[in-house]
Amino acid sequence: MAHSTTLTPTGLPTAAAPAHTARPSLPAAARAMPKATPAARAPQARLWWTGLFAALAWTALGAITWFWPNLPVGFSDWAYTQEFAVAAWGVAAVLWLLVAWPGLLGRQAARLRGAGPWLVAIAVGLAVWEVYTAKLGTLPPPFFAPPQSLAEVYVTDWARLLDSAWNSLKLLALGIAIGASVGFVVGVLMGWSRSANYWIHPVLRVLGPVPTTALLPISFYFFPSSWSTAIFLIALGTAFPVAILTWSGVASVHKNYYDVARTMGASPWFLVLRVAIPASLPQVFVGLFMGLGAAFSTLVVAEMLGVKSGLGWYLTWAQGWASYPNMYGALIIMALLFSGVISLLFALRDRVLSWQKGIVKW
């Protein structure tokens, strides 16, 4: 077999490999393909232990409610006892299903796992409440009623509760809107104008700390109805913290911001609207949060004393008839309503101040 020779850069001849022994070249795409790797195993979902305990707790709650006889109360028994047990078992069935198949929720699984301890605590709390009221009578009726009595209230008196909640929400929204608007304008005037601060600040220092409920007798004299009196007092309780915090926010804006804007030809209105107010918005929302607490308390007191509708009026009505389950049902609705208002304000704050994320620490 003939061999061919080639010259190397050094001039020495070398023997080339036989033609039939040369390896065929692979296409570039084939050479670029990565080597096959064994398929990775999918991670197995861990057992949701908190959900397991929650399912056991809700199952036990249903068993206690169903199988443990209620302590006789007068000539009647607590209504909706069996329905309450069935509802507890329904929650337990859902939790058992999620424990057995954790992939059912998909992306919501992490959020539910975070709520696991609360699911356990709610079931345990309801069980203790049921035992000490309906089963043992340690907390004497009619002042204390079991959880199923609230179900009876919501089923039989939902129309009146819904109307009362709607009237309270309207009164609260109108009073907060007026108070927040007035307090915001007053706070901006105090922070921007020295003359306005000179005249308004002493008035706020004297009248601001006075509880709004203490002004009820005077307010009833000057306003034609209890409705308008309640709106005025809610607005007053909201306006004071909003004005103080807005004033503090506007007054604390650094002078360099104004100097930079003036060098670019900014007018006084531009300085107020585009520099002072945006910089003071975090303090404004803090004032709104503080004003909501005063608005809630003023609303309830005003409805108890003069307004003929609302959750405060419902509380007084239920107490007058010694219907304590109705009173507890109204308190729960009131707590959920006020918590919802605060949550809405948090969402509004996050939307308005989205451009300050990473700068302002909440």
Side-chain angles (χ1 to χ4, degrees), residues 192 249-250 252-262 266-282 355-356:
W192 185 258
V250 173
S252 61
V253 177
H254 203 280
K255 295 188 303 181
N256 293 341
Y257 296 158
Y258 298 125
D259 295 338
V260 172
R262 287 191 184 98
S267 63
W269 280 107
F270 185 92
L271 294 178
V272 175
L273 298 178
R274 303 300 297 272
V275 179
I277 291 178
S280 64
L281 282 179
W355 57 277
Q356 290 189 346

Side-chain angles (χ1 to χ4, degrees), residues 339-356:
S339 176
V341 171
I342 293 177
S343 299
L344 287 177
L345 190 58
F346 269 104
L348 177 63
R349 180 204 64 182
D350 295 339
R351 183 67 179 270
V352 173
L353 300 181
S354 60
W355 57 277
Q356 290 189 346

Side-chain angles (χ1 to χ4, degrees), residues 135-147:
K135 308 306 180 183
L136 298 178
T138 305
L139 300 175
F143 304 103
F144 300 96

Side-chain angles (χ1 to χ4, degrees), residues 108-298:
Q108 301 296 327
R111 181 177 299 181
L112 184 63
R113 287 175 178 270
W118 274 109
L119 294 173
V120 177
I122 291 174
V124 172
L126 289 175
V128 173
W129 184 4
E130 177 73 18
V131 169
Y132 278 92
T133 53
K135 308 306 180 183
L136 298 178
T138 305
L139 300 175
F143 304 103
F144 300 96
Q148 57 264 33
S149 64
L150 298 181
E152 181 181 5
V153 170
Y154 294 139
V155 170
T156 60
D157 206 20
W158 64 269
R160 186 179 302 169
L161 278 170
L162 184 62
D163 182 70
S164 299
W166 172 245
N167 291 326
S168 293
L169 189 60
K170 289 192 299 183
L171 186 62
L172 186 67
L174 188 57
I176 290 177
I178 296 175
S181 302
V182 174
F184 179 74
V185 173
V186 170
V188 172
L189 285 175
M190 292 174 59
W192 185 258
S193 173
R194 291 185 178 180
S195 59
N197 186 27
Y198 175 82
W199 290 104
I200 299 175
H201 186 209
V203 177
L204 290 182
R205 292 194 63 177
V206 173
L207 297 181
V210 177
T212 54
T213 53
L215 303 176
L216 271 173
I218 303 176
S219 302
F220 279 127
Y221 177 79
F222 286 102
F223 288 90
S225 64
S226 57
W227 175 268
S228 57
T229 302
I231 292 177
F232 167 73
L233 293 177
I234 293 173
L236 184 63
T238 307
F240 172 68
V242 172
I244 293 298
L245 270 299
T246 304
W247 164 52
S248 175
V250 173
S252 61
V253 177
H254 203 280
K255 295 188 303 181
N256 293 341
Y257 296 158
Y258 298 125
D259 295 338
V260 172
R262 287 191 184 98
T263 57
M264 300 179 66
S267 63
W269 280 107
F270 185 92
L271 294 178
V272 175
L273 298 178
R274 303 300 297 272
V275 179
I277 291 178
S280 64
L281 282 179
Q283 286 84 350
V284 173
F285 278 100
V286 173
L288 283 173
F289 294 142
M290 295 176 62
L292 282 180
F296 295 155
S297 59
T298 304

Side-chain angles (χ1 to χ4, degrees), residues 9-62:
T10 58
L12 298 177
T14 58
H20 69 275
T21 61
R23 296 181 180 180
S25 61
L26 294 176
R31 292 196 304 267
M33 291 179 60
K35 295 182 179 180
T37 57
R41 295 182 179 179
Q44 296 182 354
R46 294 180 300 174
L47 180 62
W48 184 24
W49 289 102
T50 310
L52 178 63
F53 294 145
L56 290 172
W58 284 95
T59 304
L61 173 61

